[in-house]
Amino acid sequence: MKKLTVSLLVLVLSSPFAIVKAQQKKNDSTTQTKEIEGVVVTALGIKRDKKSLGYSTQSVTASDLTKSPTSNFTSNLSGKVSGLQVKSVSNFGGSVDIVLRGYKSIAGNNQPLFVIDGVPMINANNNTSAQSAQGRPGYDFGNTISDINPNDIEELNVLKGAAATALYGSRAQNGAIIITTKKGKKGKNIGVELNSSISISSINKATFPTYQKQYGQGYGYYYGPNENSQFADYNGSPMTPTTEDASYGAAFNPNLLVYQYEAFIPGSPNFGKATPWVAGKNDPSTFFQKGVNYNNGVSFSKGGDTGSFRLSFNNQNGSDIMPNTYLNKNTISGNASYKLMDNLTATIGATYVNQNVKGRNSTGYGGNLIAGFRQWWPVNVDLRDQQNFYMNSGNNYTWNIGGSDNLTPSYWNNPYFQVYENAVRDTRERFAGNFSLSYDVTKNFNLLARVGTDGFTQRMEDRKAVGSIPELMGFGLTDLEQPSGFAVMQIKQRETNYDFIANYKKDFDNGLSFNSLLGTNLNVINFYSNSQSTSGGLYVPGLYALSNSYATPPRAVTIDTTKKIAGIFAQASVGYHGTYYLEGTVRRDQSSALPVNNNVYWYYSGSASVVFSNWEFLKGSIMNFGKLRASYAEVGSDTGANQIKNQYFTSTSFGDLPMIYYNTSEKNPNLKPQRSKQTELGLNAQFFKNRIGLDIAWFRNDAYDQILALPVSFGTGVATKVQNAGNLRTDGWEVSLNITPIKSDNFRWDVNANWSNPQTRVTKLAPGNENITLGTFQGGVTINASLDDLYGTIKGTDFIYTNGEKTVGANGRYLISSSTNNVIGNMQADWFGGLANKFTYKDFQLSFQIDWRKGGSIFSLDQYYGLATGLYPETAGTNDLGNPIRNPISQGGGVILPGVQANGSSNDIRVSGANYGLYGYRYAPAAAFVYDASFVKLREVAISYSIPSKYLANTFFKGLTFSAIGNNLWIIHKNLPYADPEAALSSGNAQGFQSGVMPTSRVFSFSLKANF
């Protein structure tokens, strides 16, 4: 019988004597701390003992990254690293917003640097106008870091502070995520690994509208011969007001026959017929389908005394919950190393990615199909009829026709015409490669020469078919109304790094250890983009080519820039008896993006750590490991290319003369580098044979001399000027906790928790400037960096208050401030975190993760419009008298709005709900549609079974594991109605705004992993 070794944590905590005795069997402190803390990969791909680091790092295992199949592996980082806020924005193939320890740039990039095998990688998000053009229509084309095949990852380590990342220069001012890929391992035969999964996604209805089913199309009593009816007139019979895109019309009555839009559609089974006035059987939630994604990969690897290799191929192929969508991505990766001599090793690695996507959802406002479902929809329409009309005819027969004799869409396309005829397409090809030579001059002295490159070419096509609703605000490069069109944008971006690093390390007999490096880096960034479009529509329907432009196409917009940064750097670390450590770094960069007299900037960092568990009086105690650490760093950063000299641009010709205009933002030949000061204090501790682990950190960052385009007097001829101004200060705490409450020979329970509360505040702007607008959106809402306020302030119109109560006027409706400069929310969370539990019983494993976000705000344009148009159940209830709210007041309808009158007395004035406007934007300020963005989510549940090796002994399998995984299964708590608080237009700085966001998908996956 096996010896029983089960121990509950409560018993462990009450019996420290047993642990002390066990620890005394092995009291070599250096060995112990190395086993506990381990070795991690830091800046420049250099491996270090984690105990020696005076700054915060946190690792994520490869199994945690690959457990859930996804189109972007970074979404699997959510909740797993303290201080790392990860937000998947719900768009098909869309981007993931990642911010580490708060915001460090007011208007620039706040994403951390990704580094693979020591080489920085591009993480661009080439989203179109959704973010930059004030929330108007656009597309989220995803982060390019999603090209990484997670099955190639061996380890991922997050470097959080500037002291950790200073050697990378300005590119890592927001932190760095260091990825080490798998290599060939020593063995007799070639190792083969197969990964295969299928994922099925479906709409989470808690993140999509629930429609009222009591009232139909219209805006109230505006129609008929006397304009006092809820119906239009058709030959003396009631007819729905088909031009209207609201559900504030007549109450449903199955005994009432009404001419609806399908009575005028050729081929309709109800052509020429009046039909019962009832809610549509199939509402827009039935528009969504089951998404199916297949992910298959195979790798071959082998290692030996003189070399190793690994080659992998992965294919991801699938569809989304929207019809007519697909994403197909192929990734080929390989690496190899070979000892040319005993002390000279060559290493090479390469990755090629080819991605083809169709049918990304539109984001922003205007033409966004999902915005129509959330904001402007008549609930008498049956989606299945819309599907049949398009599938049977191919025409844009929509519910929103201009009238009985006009089948032209008024505002909205047939949803199926939209997704099949106007599907956006994009392709991306990417190549990344690196080559290095490592020469051991002596056993303590190494020289490394490395070149790494990463680049991609992306082509994005936007199509508007003949017969679509016109693009009223322009299409492509045009500003005028366009009936149809074709627009294409091509982007080429490449980053190449050349490194030479000398590394010396030695352990001395007196307990002193020394580790140093000296190196140089040349970073070259090339960017090219070309945008073109038709004008005046398409001459030949269905032919999507620039040459098919009805009118002369506008001039192409081309950008072609190169930026170079040359750097030298050094680092030195001293340790004493594996207990006391000091480290310092210095780097000097010279950037071509800054003026010659200001293009050199320096970085400094210093850190210290003390492994106090090595002190004699603590040895043998309940503490296995304890370390105090502190770090300080000053870093600099440049700006994007082309910010120094003013330019002229050409536009579409006017007659025979070209249109030439000056840049609207004045460049600055006197720019200085942006600077940042970062401080961190931290504590690591492990107790009771590592059954309890704790990591606590406090950090502060001041990012000053921000490079911004600030408003100037229009008398200067420009709207803004690029200047150095402003300071962002971020303070926060991070806590990581790991506990093993139960541990036995056959069963183990592990708990990991992460929590953080970074808060970024604008503490300084240029004289005369008190606000910088990050984004301007529909509804008069802006996202801002306001002086002496938290970064990401949401501003708009607000209620007028009397003694803290909302005030109504003489008509019983709310009084609204005329200013749009009221602070009505902030996009930053108060805190966020994650809790993961993992249970292992023999060869079975069950895990689940819960993510939290507390606080922060989000403005919902969906509620702003959707409540006004009567879509939601809140607009169709009963009032305090027990009567339908939408009845005329003479019939007991209407409501008394909560609040007070101007004299402070309680409001007792009843307002009508018979016509639209009782709810929604018409008589309410933007503040009424700002919601608490808190949530609690069951992010992930996974169960797996690994077949015991004894059952595989006579097979060709070395390992075989089956898994079932669920993602985004349950939003346990949220305050935002009918949407996911994480959903957004795209990644970027302007968060806290929603319009027409995609519903969240529940994803169920089944996977197989086999080793041969």
Side-chain angles (χ1 to χ4, degrees):
M1 183 177 178
K2 287 187 176 181
K3 181 179 178 181
L4 185 64
T5 59
V6 178
S7 59
L8 291 174
L9 182 59
V10 291
L11 297 178
V12 173
L13 291 173
S14 62
S15 307
F17 178 75
I19 296 172
V20 172
K21 295 295 289 183
Q23 288 180 334
Q24 288 175 348
K25 295 178 182 179
K26 185 177 182 180
N27 55 18
D28 184 300
S29 62
T30 302
T31 304
Q32 276 185 277
T33 54
K34 184 174 290 189
E35 289 179 352
I36 295 169
E37 284 271 271
V39 176
V40 296
V41 178
T42 61
L44 304 175
I46 297 170
K47 292 184 177 181
R48 299 281 302 278
D49 290 340
K50 192 174 181 180
K51 67 171 184 176
S52 68
L53 304 179
Y55 47 78
S56 179
T57 71
Q58 193 169 345
S59 297
V60 179
T61 64
S63 61
D64 282 335
L65 292 173
T66 58
K67 186 183 300 179
S68 301
T70 177
S71 62
N72 191 333
F73 82 96
T74 58
S75 62
N76 288 339
L77 290 171
S78 178
K80 294 180 174 65
V81 179
S82 62
L84 187 70
Q85 187 164 10
V86 180
K87 184 169 72 170
S88 300
V89 297
S90 81
N91 298 323
F92 169 48
S95 57
V96 176
D97 193 59
I98 304 175
V99 178
L100 181 58
R101 286 189 171 178
Y103 297 87
K104 301 173 182 67
S105 177
I106 291 178
N109 182 24
N110 280 289
Q111 307 285 306
L113 174 71
F114 283 81
V115 181
I116 300 180
D117 292 334
V119 179
M121 305 296 287
I122 299 171
N123 184 26
N125 176 22
N126 298 314
N127 56 310
T128 54
S129 58
Q131 286 285 81
S132 58
Q134 305 175 358
R136 295 300 182 181
Y139 297 93
D140 176 8
F141 290 97
N143 305 78
T144 57
I145 203 65
S146 65
D147 292 337
I148 296 174
N149 174 18
N151 290 315
D152 289 336
I153 297 175
E154 179 73 30
E155 181 186 7
L156 183 147
N157 190 36
V158 180
L159 306 182
K160 299 181 180 180
T165 61
L167 291 180
Y168 279 118
S170 59
R171 289 163 296 162
Q173 65 174 332
N174 302 319
I177 296 178
I178 310 298
I179 295 172
T180 305
T181 61
K182 294 177 181 177
K183 309 295 190 297
K185 296 181 180 179
K186 192 172 183 179
K188 293 182 179 180
N189 302 313
I190 293 178
V192 181
E193 181 177 290
L194 175 68
N195 294 277
S196 181
S197 68
I198 179 172
S199 302
I200 301 171
S201 55
S202 59
I203 180 178
N204 180 347
K205 291 190 176 182
T207 62
F208 195 70
T210 297
Y211 296 91
Q212 57 84 11
K213 298 296 178 73
Q214 298 164 254
Y215 300 88
Q217 194 166 4
Y219 278 92
Y221 293 86
Y222 297 113
Y223 315 103
N226 299 316
E227 297 186 351
N228 62 354
S229 171
Q230 292 178 306
F231 290 109
D233 180 79
Y234 179 71
N235 295 333
S237 297
M239 170 184 166
T240 55
T242 58
T243 60
E244 307 289 35
D245 49 2
S247 291
Y248 222 95
F252 288 128
N253 179 356
N255 298 315
L256 176 65
L257 297 181
V258 177
Y259 284 94
Q260 302 185 54
Y261 81 95
E262 67 263 36
F264 312 105
I265 302 297
S268 168
N270 294 318
F271 186 79
K273 300 177 184 177
T275 52
W277 185 235
V278 294
K281 182 179 178 180
N282 298 284
D283 67 32
S285 67
T286 63
F287 177 76
F288 301 97
Q289 61 186 17
K290 299 287 185 185
V292 181
N293 186 74
Y294 301 93
N295 204 319
N296 296 288
V298 63
S299 68
F300 305 89
S301 62
K302 193 177 187 304
D305 294 331
T306 58
S308 66
F309 80 91
R310 184 177 185 274
L311 179 67
S312 71
F313 170 77
N314 194 84
N315 170 260
Q316 181 182 344
N317 189 3
S319 60
D320 190 46
I321 58 175
M322 284 184 65
N324 196 35
T325 55
Y326 68 75
L327 184 153
N328 185 36
K329 178 163 60 178
N330 295 296
T331 305
I332 301 174
S333 298
N335 61 66
S337 65
Y338 186 75
K339 280 191 174 183
L340 302 174
M341 296 186 294
D342 287 343
N343 59 348
L344 180 64
T345 301
T347 302
I348 189 170
T351 298
Y352 171 77
V353 182
N354 180 290
Q355 178 175 283
N356 191 357
V357 185
K358 177 183 177 182
R360 294 184 190 269
N361 60 287
S362 175
T363 62
Y365 179 80
N368 178 349
L369 175 64
I370 310 302
F373 290 161
R374 291 182 176 275
Q375 302 170 13
W376 314 93
W377 183 256
V379 298
N380 51 288
V381 173
D382 191 307
L383 244 295
R384 209 52 64 223
D385 292 337
Q386 287 284 281
Q387 182 180 27
N388 292 335
F389 288 147
Y390 169 72
M391 294 299 181
N392 293 334
S393 70
N395 294 323
N396 190 11
Y397 291 146
T398 178
W399 53 268
N400 192 215
I401 60 176
S404 60
D405 56 353
N406 180 8
L407 301 186
T408 303
S410 296
Y411 304 109
W412 298 96
N413 293 321
N414 178 305
Y416 293 90
F417 180 92
Q418 175 76 12
V419 297
Y420 281 96
E421 300 295 332
N422 296 339
V424 66
R425 293 164 169 82
D426 63 279
T427 60
R428 184 166 68 233
E429 284 192 287
R430 183 174 191 164
F431 175 79
N434 63 82
F435 174 76
S436 65
L437 286 172
S438 177
Y439 180 65
D440 293 325
V441 181
T442 69
K443 68 175 183 179
N444 302 114
F445 184 37
N446 174 268
L447 298 176
L448 175 70
R450 177 172 59 207
V451 58
T453 186
D454 177 35
F456 67 88
T457 298
Q458 187 166 9
R459 178 183 173 88
M460 297 157 280
E461 295 183 0
D462 195 0
R463 305 180 180 201
K464 289 291 180 287
V466 173
S468 301
I469 56 169
E471 293 289 344
L472 301 179
M473 288 172 261
F475 174 81
L477 300 179
T478 58
D479 294 326
L480 303 177
E481 178 180 323
Q482 298 294 310
S484 57
F486 175 64
V488 61
M489 182 178 187
Q490 184 165 317
I491 293 176
K492 296 180 181 179
Q493 187 170 349
R494 179 156 297 281
E495 178 172 344
T496 304
N497 285 274
Y498 306 89
D499 296 309
F500 184 78
I501 304 170
N503 194 328
Y504 179 82
K505 58 183 178 181
K506 184 175 178 61
D507 294 330
F508 298 93
D509 294 336
N510 60 0
L512 195 68
S513 62
F514 180 71
N515 195 334
S516 65
L517 64 85
L518 177 67
T520 182
N521 166 262
L522 175 63
N523 172 245
V524 182
I525 300 174
N526 301 104
F527 179 86
Y528 171 86
S529 72
N530 182 280
S531 300
Q532 301 180 67
S533 72
T534 59
S535 179
L538 298 175
Y539 192 82
V540 178
L543 177 59
Y544 294 98
L546 295 170
S547 59
N548 190 33
S549 180
Y550 195 89
T552 302
R555 293 178 183 269
V557 176
T558 302
I559 300 173
D560 191 353
T561 63
T562 298
K563 184 174 81 169
K564 297 180 180 180
I565 303 175
I568 57 174
F569 49 84
Q571 180 186 63
S573 173
V574 178
Y576 185 65
H577 284 294
T579 301
Y580 305 96
Y581 294 92
L582 288 173
E583 181 176 301
T585 68
V586 60
R587 177 168 175 140
R588 175 192 183 273
D589 274 353
Q590 184 172 3
S591 171
S592 66
L594 293 171
V596 174
N597 57 333
N598 283 331
N599 67 353
V600 173
Y601 45 100
W602 293 79
Y603 312 73
Y604 309 92
S605 77
S607 63
S609 62
V610 178
V611 184
F612 59 85
S613 54
N614 288 344
W615 294 345
E616 284 297 325
F617 73 92
L618 289 175
K619 288 182 179 179
S621 68
I622 62 173
M623 180 183 291
N624 301 93
F625 177 78
K627 181 179 78 171
L628 287 171
R629 64 179 189 271
S631 67
Y632 176 80
E634 293 190 20
V635 299
S637 62
D638 59 355
T639 184
N642 206 23
Q643 296 298 312
I644 301 173
K645 296 181 179 180
N646 292 310
Q647 299 169 281
Y648 287 95
F649 300 87
T650 60
S651 184
T652 305
S653 299
F654 182 77
D656 296 328
L657 299 176
M659 296 285 288
I660 300 176
Y661 61 95
Y662 195 61
N663 46 243
T664 57
S665 181
E666 185 178 355
K667 309 300 175 68
N668 189 343
N670 299 308
L671 281 180
K672 299 183 297 181
Q674 179 175 303
R675 307 291 301 179
S676 178
K677 298 178 180 179
Q678 300 189 28
T679 305
E680 178 187 333
L681 301 173
L683 166 70
N684 300 72
Q686 296 277 342
F687 303 91
F688 304 111
K689 289 186 176 180
N690 306 329
R691 299 284 286 276
I692 300 178
L694 181 66
D695 190 325
I696 301 176
W698 172 85
F699 55 88
R700 167 172 288 178
N701 175 72
D702 279 288
Y704 58 99
D705 283 343
Q706 298 264 327
I707 299 176
L708 304 166
L710 296 176
V712 294
S713 169
F714 284 106
T716 62
V718 293
T720 60
K721 180 180 179 179
V722 178
Q723 303 176 52
N724 288 101
N727 184 81
L728 284 181
R729 167 167 286 188
T730 302
D731 292 287
W733 289 86
E734 293 171 350
V735 179
S736 296
L737 177 68
N738 61 276
I739 304 174
T740 304
I742 302 175
K743 182 180 179 181
S744 72
D745 287 345
N746 294 324
F747 183 76
R748 180 183 178 111
W749 174 21
D750 294 299
V751 181
N752 289 280
N754 295 288
W755 178 91
S756 187
N757 68 338
Q759 294 278 282
T760 302
R761 185 174 295 274
V762 182
T763 59
K764 186 178 180 182
L765 289 175
N769 285 275
E770 296 188 352
N771 188 78
I772 296 173
T773 302
L774 306 176
T776 302
F777 301 102
Q778 192 82 358
V781 172
T782 56
I783 311 297
N784 305 271
S786 301
L787 184 63
D788 296 327
D789 211 336
L790 289 176
Y791 180 78
T793 296
I794 304 173
K795 293 185 177 182
T797 55
D798 199 355
F799 297 95
I800 291 177
Y801 298 90
T802 300
N803 300 324
E805 298 286 337
K806 299 172 186 175
T807 308
V808 301
N811 61 1
R813 298 191 181 277
Y814 288 122
L815 299 178
I816 303 171
S817 67
S818 59
S819 171
T820 59
N821 201 38
N822 303 283
V823 175
I824 57 177
N826 188 275
M827 70 183 191
Q828 291 189 62
D830 298 333
W831 56 263
F832 54 88
L835 175 67
N837 284 266
K838 182 168 65 177
F839 305 90
T840 305
Y841 176 70
K842 293 185 178 180
D843 299 296
F844 288 92
Q845 188 177 98
L846 170 67
S847 64
F848 67 90
Q849 179 178 316
I850 296 174
D851 287 357
W852 279 272
R853 171 185 165 125
K854 174 64 172 66
S857 308
I858 193 161
F859 173 85
S860 173
L861 193 70
D862 299 329
Q863 294 296 298
Y864 179 88
Y865 284 129
L867 287 171
T869 58
L871 301 189
Y872 299 107
E874 297 92 318
T875 69
T878 55
N879 60 16
D880 57 312
L881 303 176
N883 299 319
I885 292 171
R886 297 195 189 182
N887 281 1
I889 290 181
S890 61
Q891 299 176 23
V895 298
I896 299 173
L897 298 175
V900 298
Q901 299 183 53
N903 60 10
S905 61
S906 296
N907 178 33
D908 59 0
I909 305 171
R910 190 172 297 276
V911 294
S912 173
N915 295 326
Y916 92 104
L918 175 58
Y919 300 100
Y921 71 94
R922 195 179 184 199
Y923 297 112
F929 312 101
V930 174
Y931 298 86
D932 177 16
S934 301
F935 64 78
V936 181
K937 291 186 176 184
L938 180 59
R939 182 77 71 181
E940 176 184 286
V941 177
I943 184 169
S944 65
Y945 174 67
S946 298
I947 296 179
S949 57
K950 63 181 179 180
Y951 297 127
L952 302 175
N954 297 322
T955 71
F956 53 84
F957 291 105
K958 292 182 179 179
L960 194 59
T961 301
F962 300 92
S963 301
I965 309 101
N967 288 95
N968 296 319
L969 298 181
W970 180 24
I971 302 180
I972 302 169
H973 167 76
K974 67 183 179 76
N975 297 306
L976 175 67
Y978 313 118
D980 187 337
E982 288 190 289
L985 301 181
S986 182
S987 59
N989 296 341
Q991 301 295 313
F993 176 88
Q994 283 191 347
S995 175
V997 291
M998 282 284 286
T1000 299
S1001 297
R1002 289 191 176 99
V1003 183
F1004 295 90
S1005 305
F1006 305 91
S1007 67
L1008 164 69
K1009 180 179 180 181
N1011 298 92
F1012 305 94

